[in-house]
Amino acid sequence: MCGIAGCWSPADPAAASSALITAMTDRLRHRGPDGSGVWCDPAVGIALGHRRLSIVDLSPLGAQPMASPSGRYQIVFNG
């Protein structure tokens, strides 16, 4: 299983920082020792993090968070 973390803080957008999400995903290292990724939009107070456990897709294409082709949307998931 991978590790997923997120923070949404519309009242205090600065709280959703890459440092916070990195600290959260570091605590989940045992869930995904093969890689990690963080995405943050401090203007709106949202951040996503992921710890990767590479079992099936070993390529870099499985790295997360994933962006839509336009870059507008971001996602983390365990599928």
Side-chain angles (χ1 to χ4, degrees):
M1 287 276 183
C2 297
I4 297 171
C7 179
W8 180 46
S9 181
D12 182 12
S17 66
S18 59
L20 173 67
I21 292 297
T22 298
M24 292 169 75
T25 57
D26 285 350
R27 295 288 306 258
L28 298 171
R29 189 178 195 307
H30 64 283
R31 299 291 304 268
D34 299 324
S36 65
V38 171
W39 174 83
C40 184
D41 186 343
V44 295
I46 191 164
L48 302 172
H50 185 265
R51 291 297 310 201
R52 184 175 182 197
L53 178 61
S54 300
I55 295 176
V56 177
D57 185 359
L58 305 178
S59 77
L61 296 174
Q64 294 188 46
M66 292 183 173
S68 66
S70 69
R72 181 176 181 187
Y73 303 104
Q74 300 285 327
I75 188 171
V76 292
F77 66 96
N78 186 29

